[in-house]
Structure formats: C-alpha cells, structure tokens
Amino acid sequence: MELENQPLGDMPFDGRAEKGEPASLRRWLWQSYLRAAIVPLLVIELGFLVVFWASSALVYRQNIAAVRAFSGDYLTDVAVREAASAANNLRAISIAADVLSRQTHRALDGNYDPPPAEKARYRWNVDGAFVTVRDNGTTASFYSGAYPIGQEQIRKVWRLAALDPLMADLRDTQPIVSSIYVNTYDSYNRILPYFDVGSQYAPRMDIRKYNFYYDADAAHNPNRKTVWTDAYIDPAGKGWMISCISPVWRNGKLEAVVGLDVTLATLVNRLTNIALPWDAYAMLVDENGRIVAVPRKGETDLRLKELTDHKYTESIKADTFKPDQFDLHNRADTRSLALALQKSASGRVTLQLDSPHQASFATIPGPNWRLVIIAPSREIERSARELRIRLERIAYFMVAALFVFYVLFFAFLYRRAAALSGALAHPLDEIRQLLDRIEHGRHHLGFAGSRVKELDEVGRKLIATGQRLGAAQDLIKQQDRVVRDALERQRQVNEEQRRFIQIMSHEVRTPLAVISSGIHLIGRKAHTLSAEDLARRTDKLRRAVQRISDLLTKMVAYSGLEPASPGASPQAMPFVALVVSISEAAIPAERLRLLAPQTEDECPLTREGATLSIALRVALDNARHYSPPDTAITVAVEPDKAELCVTVIDQGPGLPPEEMAFIGQRYFRGAAASGHAGAGIGIHVARMALERIGGAFELRPTPTGCQVTIRIPREIVAEGNDG
Amino acid sequence: MAETRPATILCIEDEPDLLEDLLEEIGDEGYIALGATNSRDALALLWSHSVDLVLCDQQLPGPSGLDFLEAAGTGKANPVFVLLTAYSDGPLREKALSLGAARVLVKPVDYDELLSLIRQLLA
C-alpha cells in the first residue's frame, strides 16, 4: 500500500484531512458551537416570534371584533337612551303645544279685554298691519295687512291677549323652546318673546303659506294632532329651527295654529352635550331621512355646514328648507344609513365616509325622528390598535433583545471556544512535544497534566510509554553493547587467529624454507659434497625440523591451559625450590644469577606450580633469547606479606614505548623478536594463566634491559600442607 | 670486446641458515652474492656496491623489508627488487608492488624457479 512508504508526518489521520486543510482547534470548536447553537436558537426564537406575531394578530382581530361589537352595542344603547330622553323633552313640548292649543280655543271663545296699558302698545302701520310697538315683557302681536282688519279682528287680538301669561309660563317651563306663538288663519301672529314684528314681518305676510301653519291644516294633518315641522328659516328672525305645532279647530274650521319653536342651534347644543366616547357625535334625522341637526364634529365627516344661523337681509316670505345635501338618501356615503333608518327603529350600520365609521341609531317617538350616533372606527379601535402597536413594539424590542442576546451569546461562545481550545491545545501540544521527544530518543519526560480526563490519561500513558521505551532502549543499547563487545571480541579473536596463522605461516615457512633450500642444495651437489659438508647440511635440516617440532609442541602446551577441573587438587610444592629448579633448567649456569632465600621457612608452598612453571619459563626464555649471550640473567625470589613474587631481569634491548600497549597480546611479536623463533603467544599465555589465579605478569623496561615480575597471591599458598 | 660483469645480487635474510643457502645457490649460478641479516647492513651494502637485484625478506629485525624498499628507492641505485616473505597476505603483496617491487615470493621458494626468475629479471 502506498501509505506504508509515506512519512508518518505526511499521513492524513482521516478522510477529512484529504479533502482540505485541517482547521485549527479553535476554529473547529467555534464552528461546532455555531452549528450546535445557531440552528436550535434560530428555529426556537424565530418560531417563538412567529407564534408571538400570529397570536398578536389574532388577538388584534378578536379585539377589533369585540370592540366593534361592544361599541356598537354601547352606542346603540346610548342612542336608545338619548332618544328616550329627547322624546321626553319633545313630548313635553308637544304637551305644551296641545295645552296652548286648547287655551287658544278657550280664548277665542272667551271675551277677554286687556287693560288699557296693553292696548296702548298697538298701532296701525302704514301697510295696514295692526302691530305692537312696545315691549312690556310679554308678547308681540302682528296682524297682517293681507286681510281687512275690522273690529272683530281687533276683538280677536284682545281675546288672544289672555294667552300671554300661559305663554310666559310655557316658555319658562320649556327651556329649549325659543318662542311660542299663535297664528290664525287670517294671518294674525301673537308671539313670545317680544320683538319688533312691524319691521321683521312682511306687512302683508300670509301666514298660511308657511309650513309652521299648513303642516297643521287638514290637508297635512288630517288627524288634527300636534306635529313637528321640518327645519326651516324662522320668519321671526330666530334662524333655522323646527316647530311643534298644534291646530286649533273651532266649529269645524281651522281657526288657528299654535306652535313652540326650537332652534336648531339649541338642538345642536343639546346633541353636543351628550357625553360620547371614541370622539363620537349624535345627530337628529327626521323620518324622511333628512338631517335635522348635526353638531360640528359631523360637519367634517359629512362635508356640510349646519344651518343654525341665518342672516335676515329681508323678510322671509315663504318656506325655506334645508338643501338636498342634508338628505341622507341623496348622499352616496350615507345612503346605507338612510336605508337602515327606514328599515328599523334602531340598529347600527357601518359607514364609509372619509374613513370607516360606525353608526348606531334609535327612534325618537313623537316626531319619529332618529337619533344617530356616529363614531369613527379608528377611534373605536384605537385601544385595540394601540395594544397592537404596543405588542409590535414588544416584538421589535424582543427581536432587538434577541439580536443583542445572540451577539453576546456568540461572543461568549467565541470566548468559550477560545478558552476550550486553549485548554485542549495546550495539553495536545504538550503531548505532541512528548512524542517529538520520544521520537528523538528522550524518554525521561514530564507532563503537567490536563483538566480533560482523556487527555490527562493520554499524557500520563505517554509518559509511561516513554519510560518503557527508554527502558527498552537502554536494554537494547546494553544488548547492543554486549553484541558489539562480542563482535569486537570475535573480531579480536579473528585478528588473533589471522595473526596466529600468519605467524605460524612465517614460523613454519622459515624452517621449511631452510629445509627446502638444504634439500635442493644436497640434491644438486650430492655427488660433490664431503661427509663433513653433508653432516653440516643435514644438521641444518635437523635443526629446522626440530624448530618446527618445538613450535608445535609449545603451541600444544599453551593451548592446554584450561581451567582446572573441579575437585582436582594440585600438589603443593615449595615455591623457592620450584623457582630455582625452573631457572637452572632454562638458563645456563654461567648466565644465571639467583637471588633466593636460603631457608625454606621463609618461603611457603604453592599449589600453582604448573602456572608458575609456565610463566617463569616464558620470562626466562625471553630473557635468554633477547639478551646478549654474555650477559647475566637475574632471578630474584621476593617473599611479600600479601603475595609471592619472582623477578627476572635481563640486559637485552628492553621494551620500546610504542610496543608497551601491545606486549602480552596473543601473537604479538615486537621488532626485537625478528630473527628469533616464536609465535607471540608466550607472554599472553603466561599473563592469562596468572590472572586466572589472581596473580599478575608485569613487564617494565629498565635502563639496561627488561624486568618481568611474576606475582602469585599468598591466599592460594597452603603453608605446610601438601594436600 | 669488454668482459661482461656478473650481476650483483644482494640477499637480505635474518635466518642465517637460509641466508647461507641463498648465497650459495646464487653464487653457484655465477652471480655476485652479497648477504645481510638486517636492513641497516643491507643499506650499507647497497650503497657501497652496484647491486642489480635485491632478494629481501620481509620479516627483519629493525626496519622491515618494505621499509628497506622505501629507503632504497630514495637513493641513486635502482636495483630490481624481489620481496621474500613467509606471510601470504594480499595487502603486503599490493603494497610491495606499489613501492616498486618486481615480484613477491612466498617461502619456501623453489630454487629452480627463483633462479629462473632472477635470470628473467636481469635479462
């Protein structure tokens, strides 16, 4: 697989790393936080907002419906109540008119003659009208010149003067009544309060042409009851008004019509004074759908100007009624109201004026008028709308608060991610450093620990792993050293073997060369050699053969130096005697100089006679071979408290400093050994044998040659015990 | 016609018996045989005689055969050099040849072959 050859640091740890650059721990945590937090937060909060707005809209609609129902009911109740109140007032006026009609009938039947002071107020004017010219706090009187005025007419004036007290009482008890009057069929008018009728009325005014008279005649009022007129301009100068009129029938003839006037201004004031909520207002509509009275609030909605005042530039000579714009049937925006008024005595309807309006109405019995209360829908719905606005503001505030909350929350999450990434990254980085150190062979590690349990465990296990790896590495190193030492020893052994083979080759080949040369010469000169010459040559051959034989014998003897078998007990021998014996056998007597104790008591016995013999013979052979033939060789036996010593001193070439480190190594032969038979194993074998028993074979140069010291530990020497 | 001078062969061998045989064999062949048992004596003979060929043992007391070869190469004399050795290792042979030795012979040497080689080298 390709990854097997890929460096560990380049290997992706998962498939994700292959798709893109790995993210930092802080970014990864932050993104995880975002993914984990933003979705539920948005879903929940947005859902909450949607529910809140939906419920707010539902509540608003229900509030609107409830307010509309409540306002409609309430305004209808108010209309009914105010209509009843108005009906009472109007009925009182109607009763007053009826009373005045009856009293007028009696006055006409009577024979009242006013006092002279009363009569003195009357004058004939130039147009033939008989009028009052002075106010005495009572009525004014006007007898039109349209009819001939005789004594009978004058007596009618005097008789009707009897009504003045009644008229005064009626006016006092009916505060909304602006004037009270009696009109006769022959255009006589008696009216309270007083005003200058001579100048106000047309001199030949025909009263029968005015609605406040003919509305009560037989043609218009066949039932001869008290009736109300439409609004009209008062000829008496009181402006727009309506009248409650009652006929006075006498002997089957309409003798007169009495009336009580109510100005529209009075009605408007009364309507205005009705306390209504929601900026509502009330207006009066007659049974034909014509507006009787409307306050100022209604003028704007209905786009009309109420006719309360009138500027009298001349006398009113005929009926003057309100224009068609006061007729609800003639207006598109009020036609639905007019139809509703026709259909029912009370109820409510929605109007679309400049804006939606609610209209509630009730019937005023008597004149059969309608009291209509109109309220703008926006005022009715104001509280609900304000509630909705407040709820919307709350919603916007909640959105803003949520936004601020999200900002703060995500800032908190960001800081939290940073803190958490730091808490994770620090131990991770520490773990990475641990791995780096382990990778570089440093196994004595430390870990500060982590608040995260898993990371703490990983770090501590890494420490333990590092320690185990360190121990394993130490063991490997130790084993490596052992192996290397073994290899080095093996190399040394190989080198020794190679050197041995070379030496053996040299040591064998040299006498072989002598033998070969001698054989060749003998063969070539056999017929010319003398017996003496032949003996000399064969002696050379024998020496060469002996040399090879000695070499092989020595090799066999040295190679037999093996540890003594367990249980074997060498025989104890006198140390000094053994040294003397070996020395005398190895060194000619003329060269040997022995320095040994004379009594055996001073020298102990030794069981290592064989080792001593090998070592001492090596030392003596070297002394004999490498020192001039005429020089002495000294052998000194020196007892010591701790060990036994024997020293061999020669006067040979000594030991070159450069060879000191190699002397004693197996098969090493110094430069001085050239020309001497030998395999370079003598000193090596001697030293090895002595060291095996705890002794030593020491060489050191002297000013005149070389000194060899052989040391044998005293512990192994058994005093007087021959085993 | 001038008489031809016999070639002078210097034999260097620390083994006296072998040196004696070499000198006898070479002298019997008509060469002037000079003998030395160490390098110092051999150098004295080399510089004092007109030596044509040197038979030198490698293992000598003091400077070895190769040391002698190097020392001899620095002088005016330029004899043919044959190294005799009881060692048979390759590196010694290569070093000797690199220093100018004509042949490296391993003991024991067959005298017929040795004399034949001497004749060949001095021809």
Side-chain angles (χ1 to χ4, degrees), chain A residues 101-112:
Chain A
S101 172
R102 293 173 186 270
Q103 290 302 321
T104 301
H105 190 280
R106 290 191 185 95
L108 290 173
D109 290 342
N111 193 22
Y112 179 73

Side-chain angles (χ1 to χ4, degrees), chain A residues 498-499 502-503 505-507 509-510 512-518 520-521 524-525 529 533 536-537 540 543-544 547 669-676, chain B residues 13-22 24-26 28-29 37 57-62 85-90 106-112 115:
Chain A
R498 186 188 66 81
R499 192 184 304 162
Q502 286 183 341
I503 290 173
S505 173
H506 180 271
E507 294 302 316
R509 284 176 188 273
T510 299
L512 281 179
V514 174
I515 294 170
S516 175
S517 173
H520 183 80
L521 283 172
R524 186 166 59 83
K525 295 182 178 181
L529 288 176
D533 201 14
R536 185 180 59 84
R537 292 186 184 275
K540 287 170 60 176
R543 288 200 305 270
R547 186 173 166 183
R669 302 193 75 203
S674 179
H676 299 281
Chain B
E13 172 60 57
D14 61 339
E15 184 64 35
D17 290 343
L18 186 56
L19 178 61
E20 183 183 356
D21 289 347
L22 276 174
E24 185 178 352
E25 286 283 354
I26 291 171
D28 289 347
E29 283 296 315
T37 59
D57 185 20
Q58 164 60 15
Q59 188 67 36
L60 295 173
T85 178
Y87 301 110
S88 57
D89 54 343
V106 179
K107 297 177 184 177
V109 180
D110 183 84
Y111 277 97
D112 292 334
L115 294 174

Side-chain angles (χ1 to χ4, degrees), chain A residues 635-655:
Chain A
V635 177
V637 181
E638 301 175 51
D640 188 82
K641 291 182 180 179
E643 55 193 357
L644 300 174
C645 294
V646 55
T647 302
V648 178
I649 303 171
D650 65 29
Q651 298 177 38
L655 299 172

Side-chain angles (χ1 to χ4, degrees), chain A residues 59 123 149 160 169 184 217 264 323 371 379 412 475 477 502 517 521 553 566 575 635 652 684:
Chain A
V59 168
R123 292 289 186 276
I149 302 173
L160 290 177
D169 291 340
T184 63
D217 62 12
L264 291 186
L371 177 66
E379 293 299 326
F412 168 76
L475 181 60
K477 286 180 179 177
Q502 286 183 341
S517 173
L521 283 172
T553 300
F575 177 67
V635 177
H684 173 77

Side-chain angles (χ1 to χ4, degrees), chain B residues 26-42:
Chain B
I26 291 171
D28 289 347
E29 283 296 315
Y31 298 112
I32 298 174
L34 302 176
T37 59
N38 56 69
S39 297
R40 294 183 186 88
D41 293 344

